[in-house]
Amino acid sequence: AQRVTQPEKLLSVFKGAPVELKCNYSYSGSPELFWYVQYSRQRLQLLLRHISRESIKGFTADLNKGETSFHLKKPFAQEEDSAMYYCALSINTGTASKLTFGTGTRLQVTL
Amino acid sequence: NAGVMQNPRHLVRRRGQEARLRCSPMKGHSHVYWYRQLPEEGLKFMVYLQKENIIDESGMPKERFSAEFPKEGPSILRIQQVVRGDSAAYFCASSPSTLEQYFGPGTRLTVT
């Protein structure tokens, strides 16, 4: 069965410091991986997906199939990055595309 | 486009009552997904529906839970005879296809 692990419940960094939010997955097939973000009092929204290989709000994530990881990185944290971040794995069966989420990591950026 | 709408945002029910959660997908989206988030856990898939059809209900508890997405109107997640363990945040997502999902703000169900 597929599984997504985010080992850190809380990550606290200073403004301007680098950020790495860890995500590991287990899935026997070819995964599609996503990072979702939830800012305070807002709905869950897609931050980025691995197949698009783009940088959103300065964040990047590279899929490492050898290590089964999809860590989210940003070189310089900003206060507005403080939020809950969820890594998710999509399994597309052709008829459905359900997401399996990790438990989330709260990123706290302090001055 | 107003985005995915869910109502109510907060719902309090006593044990044994019924809970009805509504989800209006984004305009043009015919795919609806329901997820449940228990305290301190990630979102867990419950059910995937298209108009008038349940496509995948592998994450739904076998008893008391049901979902529908009629031809007209919102998708409904129905929980009969609620118990304390049903207290959670329930999220709906919609999609125009089997790709990217757009989430609603969630309904927080509290069972007293």
Side-chain angles (χ1 to χ4, degrees), chain A residues 4-5 8 24 33 37 43 50 72 74 81-83 87-88:
Chain A
V4 176
T5 303
E8 301 145 326
N24 288 89
L33 285 148
V37 60
R43 65 185 66 194
H50 90 269
L72 183 68
K74 184 169 182 177
D81 296 329
S82 294
C87 182

Side-chain angles (χ1 to χ4, degrees), chain B residues 18 20-25 30-34 47-57 60 65-79 92:
Chain B
E18 178 180 288
R20 278 183 178 243
L21 288 64
R22 292 175 187 77
C23 168
S24 296
S30 58
H31 301 243
V32 166
Y33 300 80
W34 284 94
V47 62
Y48 162 52
L49 311 102
Q50 294 181 22
K51 286 282 187 182
E52 301 184 277
N53 285 302
I54 297 174
I55 307 300
D56 184 341
E57 57 181 346
M60 286 274 271
F65 285 72
S66 62
E68 62 177 16
F69 188 16
K71 190 175 179 183
E72 301 291 337
S75 175
I76 307 281
L77 179 68
R78 184 180 173 210
I79 311 172
C92 164

Side-chain angles (χ1 to χ4, degrees), chain A residues 13-61:
Chain A
V13 301
F14 288 111
K15 180 181 173 181
V19 174
E20 184 178 50
L21 298 166
K22 292 185 167 49
C23 172
N24 288 89
Y25 67 91
S26 63
Y27 178 53
S28 55
S30 187
E32 279 188 55
L33 285 148
F34 303 81
W35 276 98
Y36 280 83
V37 60
Q38 188 171 29
Y39 300 102
S40 179
R41 298 192 198 90
Q42 294 187 28
R43 65 185 66 194
L44 201 64
Q45 55 188 282
L46 179 65
L47 181 62
L48 53 79
R49 56 196 303 179
H50 90 269
I51 58 172
S52 58
R53 299 185 65 82
E54 55 191 343
S55 172
I56 305 291
K57 299 185 180 184
F59 284 98
T60 58

Side-chain angles (χ1 to χ4, degrees), chain B residues 11 13-14 16-20 78-82 109:
Chain B
L11 182 62
R13 284 286 177 267
R14 290 202 179 96
Q17 290 185 319
E18 178 180 288
R20 278 183 178 243
R78 184 180 173 210
I79 311 172
Q80 295 178 290
Q81 299 174 326
V82 295
L109 172 66

Side-chain angles (χ1 to χ4, degrees), chain B residues 3 5-6 12 15 17-18 25 27 29-30 32-33 35 49-50 55 57 67 70 73-75 85 87 94 102 112:
Chain B
M5 307 293 284
Q6 287 188 251
V12 179
R15 277 179 296 172
Q17 290 185 319
E18 178 180 288
K27 190 176 180 181
H29 289 193
S30 58
V32 166
Y33 300 80
Y35 294 84
L49 311 102
Q50 294 181 22
I55 307 300
E57 57 181 346
S75 175
S87 294
S94 75
Y102 296 82
T112 60

